[in-house]
PDB file of all heavy atoms in Angstrom:
ATOM      1  N   LYS D   2     228.103 -20.916 207.045  1.00 95.00           N
ATOM      2  CA  LYS D   2     229.456 -20.935 207.601  1.00 95.00           C
ATOM      3  C   LYS D   2     230.310 -19.805 206.989  1.00 95.00           C
ATOM      4  O   LYS D   2     230.216 -19.548 205.802  1.00 95.00           O
ATOM      5  CB  LYS D   2     230.086 -22.289 207.260  1.00 95.00           C
ATOM      6  CG  LYS D   2     231.365 -22.568 207.997  1.00 95.00           C
ATOM      7  CD  LYS D   2     231.901 -23.948 207.649  1.00 95.00           C
ATOM      8  CE  LYS D   2     233.120 -23.803 206.761  1.00 95.00           C
ATOM      9  NZ  LYS D   2     233.492 -25.003 206.059  1.00 95.00           N
ATOM     10  N   ARG D   3     231.110 -19.175 207.822  1.00 98.00           N
ATOM     11  CA  ARG D   3     232.081 -18.210 207.285  1.00 98.00           C
ATOM     12  C   ARG D   3     233.413 -18.937 207.112  1.00 98.00           C
ATOM     13  O   ARG D   3     233.868 -19.609 208.035  1.00 98.00           O
ATOM     14  CB  ARG D   3     232.226 -17.013 208.219  1.00 98.00           C
ATOM     15  CG  ARG D   3     231.011 -16.078 208.105  1.00 98.00           C
ATOM     16  CD  ARG D   3     231.230 -14.765 208.818  1.00 98.00           C
ATOM     17  NE  ARG D   3     230.073 -13.903 208.642  1.00 98.00           N
ATOM     18  CZ  ARG D   3     230.102 -12.722 208.017  1.00 98.00           C
ATOM     19  NH1 ARG D   3     231.230 -12.261 207.513  1.00 98.00           N
ATOM     20  NH2 ARG D   3     229.020 -11.994 207.899  1.00 98.00           N
ATOM     21  N   ILE D  23     227.492 -10.809 201.279  1.00 98.00           N
ATOM     22  CA  ILE D  23     227.004 -12.184 201.457  1.00 98.00           C
ATOM     23  C   ILE D  23     225.524 -12.261 201.075  1.00 98.00           C
ATOM     24  O   ILE D  23     225.102 -13.183 200.371  1.00 98.00           O
ATOM     25  CB  ILE D  23     227.221 -12.661 202.910  1.00 98.00           C
ATOM     26  CG1 ILE D  23     228.727 -12.825 203.170  1.00 98.00           C
ATOM     27  CG2 ILE D  23     226.499 -13.978 203.169  1.00 98.00           C
ATOM     28  CD1 ILE D  23     229.083 -13.247 204.572  1.00 98.00           C
ATOM     29  N   LEU D  29     221.747 -13.728 194.474  1.00 98.00           N
ATOM     30  CA  LEU D  29     222.132 -14.262 193.162  1.00 98.00           C
ATOM     31  C   LEU D  29     221.836 -15.752 193.081  1.00 98.00           C
ATOM     32  O   LEU D  29     221.448 -16.269 192.032  1.00 98.00           O
ATOM     33  CB  LEU D  29     223.617 -14.023 192.895  1.00 98.00           C
ATOM     34  CG  LEU D  29     224.051 -12.581 192.664  1.00 98.00           C
ATOM     35  CD1 LEU D  29     225.566 -12.525 192.491  1.00 98.00           C
ATOM     36  CD2 LEU D  29     223.374 -11.991 191.436  1.00 98.00           C
ATOM     37  N   ARG D  32     218.202 -16.010 192.123  1.00 96.00           N
ATOM     38  CA  ARG D  32     217.835 -15.535 190.783  1.00 96.00           C
ATOM     39  C   ARG D  32     218.720 -16.103 189.686  1.00 96.00           C
ATOM     40  O   ARG D  32     218.312 -16.222 188.546  1.00 96.00           O
ATOM     41  CB  ARG D  32     218.022 -14.002 190.710  1.00 96.00           C
ATOM     42  CG  ARG D  32     216.982 -13.167 191.393  1.00 96.00           C
ATOM     43  CD  ARG D  32     217.178 -11.691 191.051  1.00 96.00           C
ATOM     44  NE  ARG D  32     218.239 -11.063 191.835  1.00 96.00           N
ATOM     45  CZ  ARG D  32     219.322 -10.507 191.331  1.00 96.00           C
ATOM     46  NH1 ARG D  32     219.527 -10.485 190.040  1.00 96.00           N
ATOM     47  NH2 ARG D  32     220.220  -9.970 192.126  1.00 96.00           N
ATOM     48  N   GLU D  44     243.296  -3.503 194.387  1.00 95.00           N
ATOM     49  CA  GLU D  44     244.127  -4.637 194.789  1.00 95.00           C
ATOM     50  C   GLU D  44     244.077  -4.753 196.313  1.00 95.00           C
ATOM     51  O   GLU D  44     244.268  -3.759 197.012  1.00 95.00           O
ATOM     52  CB  GLU D  44     245.583  -4.387 194.371  1.00 95.00           C
ATOM     53  CG  GLU D  44     245.754  -4.245 192.875  1.00 95.00           C
ATOM     54  CD  GLU D  44     247.106  -3.641 192.470  1.00 95.00           C
ATOM     55  OE1 GLU D  44     247.670  -2.817 193.227  1.00 95.00           O
ATOM     56  OE2 GLU D  44     247.570  -3.986 191.389  1.00 95.00           O
ATOM     57  N   LEU D  62     223.977 -23.849 199.349  1.00 97.00           N
ATOM     58  CA  LEU D  62     222.658 -23.688 198.748  1.00 97.00           C
ATOM     59  C   LEU D  62     222.424 -24.687 197.609  1.00 97.00           C
ATOM     60  O   LEU D  62     221.512 -24.528 196.809  1.00 97.00           O
ATOM     61  CB  LEU D  62     222.461 -22.243 198.266  1.00 97.00           C
ATOM     62  CG  LEU D  62     222.410 -21.216 199.403  1.00 97.00           C
ATOM     63  CD1 LEU D  62     222.429 -19.802 198.862  1.00 97.00           C
ATOM     64  CD2 LEU D  62     221.166 -21.431 200.275  1.00 97.00           C
ATOM     65  N   PHE D  92     242.602 -33.236 184.732  1.00 97.00           N
ATOM     66  CA  PHE D  92     242.810 -32.240 183.677  1.00 97.00           C
ATOM     67  C   PHE D  92     243.631 -31.056 184.208  1.00 97.00           C
ATOM     68  O   PHE D  92     244.582 -30.588 183.572  1.00 97.00           O
ATOM     69  CB  PHE D  92     241.432 -31.786 183.173  1.00 97.00           C
ATOM     70  CG  PHE D  92     241.442 -30.520 182.370  1.00 97.00           C
ATOM     71  CD1 PHE D  92     241.924 -30.515 181.066  1.00 97.00           C
ATOM     72  CD2 PHE D  92     240.957 -29.337 182.918  1.00 97.00           C
ATOM     73  CE1 PHE D  92     241.928 -29.340 180.326  1.00 97.00           C
ATOM     74  CE2 PHE D  92     240.960 -28.161 182.178  1.00 97.00           C
ATOM     75  CZ  PHE D  92     241.453 -28.163 180.886  1.00 97.00           C
ATOM     76  N   GLY D 108     239.049 -24.692 179.640  1.00 96.00           N
ATOM     77  CA  GLY D 108     238.587 -26.078 179.792  1.00 96.00           C
ATOM     78  C   GLY D 108     237.468 -26.208 180.817  1.00 96.00           C
ATOM     79  O   GLY D 108     236.601 -27.072 180.687  1.00 96.00           O
ATOM     80  N   VAL D 113     231.751 -27.775 182.867  1.00 96.00           N
ATOM     81  CA  VAL D 113     230.398 -27.341 183.237  1.00 96.00           C
ATOM     82  C   VAL D 113     229.393 -28.024 182.313  1.00 96.00           C
ATOM     83  O   VAL D 113     228.351 -28.523 182.758  1.00 96.00           O
ATOM     84  CB  VAL D 113     230.266 -25.807 183.143  1.00 96.00           C
ATOM     85  CG1 VAL D 113     228.820 -25.385 183.343  1.00 96.00           C
ATOM     86  CG2 VAL D 113     231.161 -25.129 184.172  1.00 96.00           C
ATOM     87  N   GLN D 133     245.116 -12.306 183.758  1.00 85.00           N
ATOM     88  CA  GLN D 133     246.557 -12.375 183.476  1.00 85.00           C
ATOM     89  C   GLN D 133     246.923 -13.732 182.903  1.00 85.00           C
ATOM     90  O   GLN D 133     247.746 -13.832 182.014  1.00 85.00           O
ATOM     91  CB  GLN D 133     247.399 -12.132 184.739  1.00 85.00           C
ATOM     92  CG  GLN D 133     247.490 -10.679 185.133  1.00 85.00           C
ATOM     93  CD  GLN D 133     246.795 -10.459 186.453  1.00 85.00           C
ATOM     94  OE1 GLN D 133     245.858 -11.191 186.800  1.00 85.00           O
ATOM     95  NE2 GLN D 133     247.235  -9.452 187.197  1.00 85.00           N
ATOM     96  N   ALA D 134     246.280 -14.776 183.442  1.00 87.00           N
ATOM     97  CA  ALA D 134     246.621 -16.138 183.013  1.00 87.00           C
ATOM     98  C   ALA D 134     246.256 -16.375 181.545  1.00 87.00           C
ATOM     99  O   ALA D 134     246.994 -17.038 180.825  1.00 87.00           O
ATOM    100  CB  ALA D 134     245.919 -17.164 183.901  1.00 87.00           C
ATOM    101  N   LYS D 145     232.732 -13.597 177.290  1.00 96.00           N
ATOM    102  CA  LYS D 145     231.709 -14.020 176.317  1.00 96.00           C
ATOM    103  C   LYS D 145     231.512 -15.535 176.386  1.00 96.00           C
ATOM    104  O   LYS D 145     230.371 -16.023 176.324  1.00 96.00           O
ATOM    105  CB  LYS D 145     232.141 -13.598 174.908  1.00 96.00           C
ATOM    106  CG  LYS D 145     231.154 -13.959 173.810  1.00 96.00           C
ATOM    107  CD  LYS D 145     229.949 -13.039 173.858  1.00 96.00           C
ATOM    108  CE  LYS D 145     229.114 -13.048 172.580  1.00 96.00           C
ATOM    109  NZ  LYS D 145     228.408 -14.280 172.324  1.00 96.00           N
ATOM    110  N   ASN D 160     219.638 -23.264 187.619  1.00 96.00           N
ATOM    111  CA  ASN D 160     220.092 -21.896 187.868  1.00 96.00           C
ATOM    112  C   ASN D 160     221.590 -21.832 187.634  1.00 96.00           C
ATOM    113  O   ASN D 160     222.282 -22.818 187.820  1.00 96.00           O
ATOM    114  CB  ASN D 160     219.794 -21.511 189.317  1.00 96.00           C
ATOM    115  CG  ASN D 160     219.054 -20.192 189.397  1.00 96.00           C
ATOM    116  OD1 ASN D 160     219.164 -19.377 188.469  1.00 96.00           O
ATOM    117  ND2 ASN D 160     218.323 -19.981 190.461  1.00 96.00           N
ATOM    118  N   ALA D 166     236.361 -12.158 189.315  1.00 96.00           N
ATOM    119  CA  ALA D 166     236.960 -11.000 189.994  1.00 96.00           C
ATOM    120  C   ALA D 166     238.241 -10.585 189.291  1.00 96.00           C
ATOM    121  O   ALA D 166     238.978 -11.427 188.773  1.00 96.00           O
ATOM    122  CB  ALA D 166     237.265 -11.331 191.452  1.00 96.00           C
ATOM    123  N   ILE D 202     244.306  -9.021 214.464  1.00 95.00           N
ATOM    124  CA  ILE D 202     245.752  -9.169 214.262  1.00 95.00           C
ATOM    125  C   ILE D 202     246.526  -8.648 215.477  1.00 95.00           C
ATOM    126  O   ILE D 202     246.088  -7.705 216.149  1.00 95.00           O
ATOM    127  CB  ILE D 202     246.250  -8.469 212.973  1.00 95.00           C
ATOM    128  CG1 ILE D 202     246.063  -6.959 213.044  1.00 95.00           C
ATOM    129  CG2 ILE D 202     245.576  -9.037 211.740  1.00 95.00           C
ATOM    130  CD1 ILE D 202     246.896  -6.230 212.007  1.00 95.00           C
ATOM    131  N   LYS D 205     250.020  -3.839 216.583  1.00 93.00           N
ATOM    132  CA  LYS D 205     249.510  -2.874 215.614  1.00 93.00           C
ATOM    133  C   LYS D 205     249.440  -1.484 216.217  1.00 93.00           C
ATOM    134  O   LYS D 205     249.369  -1.329 217.431  1.00 93.00           O
ATOM    135  CB  LYS D 205     248.115  -3.303 215.176  1.00 93.00           C
ATOM    136  CG  LYS D 205     247.151  -3.473 216.337  1.00 93.00           C
ATOM    137  CD  LYS D 205     246.110  -4.524 216.069  1.00 93.00           C
ATOM    138  CE  LYS D 205     245.311  -4.810 217.334  1.00 93.00           C
ATOM    139  NZ  LYS D 205     244.447  -5.969 217.223  1.00 93.00           N
ATOM    140  N   ALA D 211     245.826   3.024 211.639  1.00 98.00           N
ATOM    141  CA  ALA D 211     245.703   1.929 210.668  1.00 98.00           C
ATOM    142  C   ALA D 211     244.668   2.288 209.603  1.00 98.00           C
ATOM    143  O   ALA D 211     244.851   2.030 208.411  1.00 98.00           O
ATOM    144  CB  ALA D 211     245.309   0.636 211.375  1.00 98.00           C
ATOM    145  N   PRO D 219     242.305  -4.529 203.352  1.00 98.00           N
ATOM    146  CA  PRO D 219     242.910  -5.597 204.156  1.00 98.00           C
ATOM    147  C   PRO D 219     244.257  -6.063 203.616  1.00 98.00           C
ATOM    148  O   PRO D 219     245.113  -6.502 204.394  1.00 98.00           O
ATOM    149  CB  PRO D 219     241.883  -6.736 204.113  1.00 98.00           C
ATOM    150  CG  PRO D 219     240.910  -6.398 203.055  1.00 98.00           C
ATOM    151  CD  PRO D 219     241.005  -4.932 202.782  1.00 98.00           C
ATOM    152  N   LEU D 228     255.597  -5.725 207.365  1.00 97.00           N
ATOM    153  CA  LEU D 228     256.733  -4.798 207.297  1.00 97.00           C
ATOM    154  C   LEU D 228     256.938  -4.083 208.637  1.00 97.00           C
ATOM    155  O   LEU D 228     257.576  -3.036 208.680  1.00 97.00           O
ATOM    156  CB  LEU D 228     256.498  -3.755 206.194  1.00 97.00           C
ATOM    157  CG  LEU D 228     256.464  -4.281 204.754  1.00 97.00           C
ATOM    158  CD1 LEU D 228     256.009  -3.194 203.793  1.00 97.00           C
ATOM    159  CD2 LEU D 228     257.850  -4.797 204.354  1.00 97.00           C
ATOM    160  N   LEU D 251     257.874   9.768 182.290  1.00 97.00           N
ATOM    161  CA  LEU D 251     257.296   9.795 180.952  1.00 97.00           C
ATOM    162  C   LEU D 251     256.252  10.899 180.780  1.00 97.00           C
ATOM    163  O   LEU D 251     255.810  11.177 179.677  1.00 97.00           O
ATOM    164  CB  LEU D 251     256.656   8.434 180.614  1.00 97.00           C
ATOM    165  CG  LEU D 251     257.646   7.362 180.167  1.00 97.00           C
ATOM    166  CD1 LEU D 251     256.978   5.995 180.137  1.00 97.00           C
ATOM    167  CD2 LEU D 251     258.230   7.701 178.790  1.00 97.00           C
ATOM    168  N   GLU D 274     240.577  17.528 179.332  1.00 98.00           N
ATOM    169  CA  GLU D 274     241.959  17.354 178.863  1.00 98.00           C
ATOM    170  C   GLU D 274     242.787  16.446 179.783  1.00 98.00           C
ATOM    171  O   GLU D 274     243.843  15.965 179.396  1.00 98.00           O
ATOM    172  CB  GLU D 274     242.654  18.700 178.622  1.00 98.00           C
ATOM    173  CG  GLU D 274     242.818  19.613 179.798  1.00 98.00           C
ATOM    174  CD  GLU D 274     241.594  20.502 180.014  1.00 98.00           C
ATOM    175  OE1 GLU D 274     240.470  20.136 179.621  1.00 98.00           O
ATOM    176  OE2 GLU D 274     241.758  21.565 180.602  1.00 98.00           O
ATOM    177  N   HIS D 285     246.962   1.563 185.554  1.00 94.00           N
ATOM    178  CA  HIS D 285     248.030   1.168 186.486  1.00 94.00           C
ATOM    179  C   HIS D 285     247.467   0.742 187.845  1.00 94.00           C
ATOM    180  O   HIS D 285     248.229   0.553 188.794  1.00 94.00           O
ATOM    181  CB  HIS D 285     249.001   2.339 186.694  1.00 94.00           C
ATOM    182  CG  HIS D 285     250.153   2.327 185.739  1.00 94.00           C
ATOM    183  ND1 HIS D 285     250.006   2.599 184.402  1.00 94.00           N
ATOM    184  CD2 HIS D 285     251.459   2.044 185.934  1.00 94.00           C
ATOM    185  CE1 HIS D 285     251.193   2.496 183.818  1.00 94.00           C
ATOM    186  NE2 HIS D 285     252.087   2.155 184.725  1.00 94.00           N
ATOM    187  N   ASP D 301     228.802  -5.230 198.218  1.00 98.00           N
ATOM    188  CA  ASP D 301     228.973  -4.657 199.551  1.00 98.00           C
ATOM    189  C   ASP D 301     228.760  -3.134 199.484  1.00 98.00           C
ATOM    190  O   ASP D 301     228.099  -2.640 198.573  1.00 98.00           O
ATOM    191  CB  ASP D 301     230.335  -5.046 200.157  1.00 98.00           C
ATOM    192  CG  ASP D 301     230.280  -5.100 201.678  1.00 98.00           C
ATOM    193  OD1 ASP D 301     229.468  -5.864 202.217  1.00 98.00           O
ATOM    194  OD2 ASP D 301     231.032  -4.354 202.341  1.00 98.00           O
ATOM    195  N   PRO D 303     229.172   0.820 198.838  1.00 97.00           N
ATOM    196  CA  PRO D 303     229.951   1.757 198.017  1.00 97.00           C
ATOM    197  C   PRO D 303     230.903   2.556 198.905  1.00 97.00           C
ATOM    198  O   PRO D 303     230.716   2.590 200.117  1.00 97.00           O
ATOM    199  CB  PRO D 303     228.877   2.685 197.422  1.00 97.00           C
ATOM    200  CG  PRO D 303     227.561   2.096 197.749  1.00 97.00           C
ATOM    201  CD  PRO D 303     227.750   1.136 198.884  1.00 97.00           C
ATOM    202  N   ARG D 307     232.719  11.377 200.177  1.00 95.00           N
ATOM    203  CA  ARG D 307     233.967  12.078 199.905  1.00 95.00           C
ATOM    204  C   ARG D 307     234.797  11.981 201.157  1.00 95.00           C
ATOM    205  O   ARG D 307     234.265  12.166 202.262  1.00 95.00           O
ATOM    206  CB  ARG D 307     233.696  13.552 199.599  1.00 95.00           C
ATOM    207  CG  ARG D 307     234.168  14.031 198.239  1.00 95.00           C
ATOM    208  CD  ARG D 307     233.875  15.514 198.077  1.00 95.00           C
ATOM    209  NE  ARG D 307     234.949  16.322 198.673  1.00 95.00           N
ATOM    210  CZ  ARG D 307     236.095  16.596 198.056  1.00 95.00           C
ATOM    211  NH1 ARG D 307     236.314  16.192 196.834  1.00 95.00           N
ATOM    212  NH2 ARG D 307     237.015  17.311 198.655  1.00 95.00           N
ATOM    213  N   THR D 321     244.174   3.250 197.543  1.00 98.00           N
ATOM    214  CA  THR D 321     244.388   3.334 198.995  1.00 98.00           C
ATOM    215  C   THR D 321     245.276   4.562 199.235  1.00 98.00           C
ATOM    216  O   THR D 321     245.931   5.057 198.310  1.00 98.00           O
ATOM    217  CB  THR D 321     245.137   2.103 199.575  1.00 98.00           C
ATOM    218  OG1 THR D 321     246.522   2.196 199.187  1.00 98.00           O
ATOM    219  CG2 THR D 321     244.556   0.784 199.100  1.00 98.00           C
ATOM    220  N   ALA D 331     256.969   9.473 194.025  1.00 98.00           N
ATOM    221  CA  ALA D 331     257.583   9.378 192.692  1.00 98.00           C
ATOM    222  C   ALA D 331     257.741  10.766 192.081  1.00 98.00           C
ATOM    223  O   ALA D 331     258.782  11.097 191.506  1.00 98.00           O
ATOM    224  CB  ALA D 331     256.743   8.484 191.787  1.00 98.00           C
TER     225      ALA D 331
END
Side-chain angles (χ1 to χ4, degrees):
K2 192 178 107 197
R3 285 190 178 243
I23 291 178
L29 291 177
R32 284 189 280 120
E44 299 165 329
L62 294 171
F92 164 74
V113 172
Q133 283 114 332
K145 181 74 163 68
N160 231 336
I202 64 163
K205 56 211 171 190
L228 294 171
L251 280 168
E274 62 273 26
H285 268 70
D301 209 58
R307 239 182 85 82
T321 74

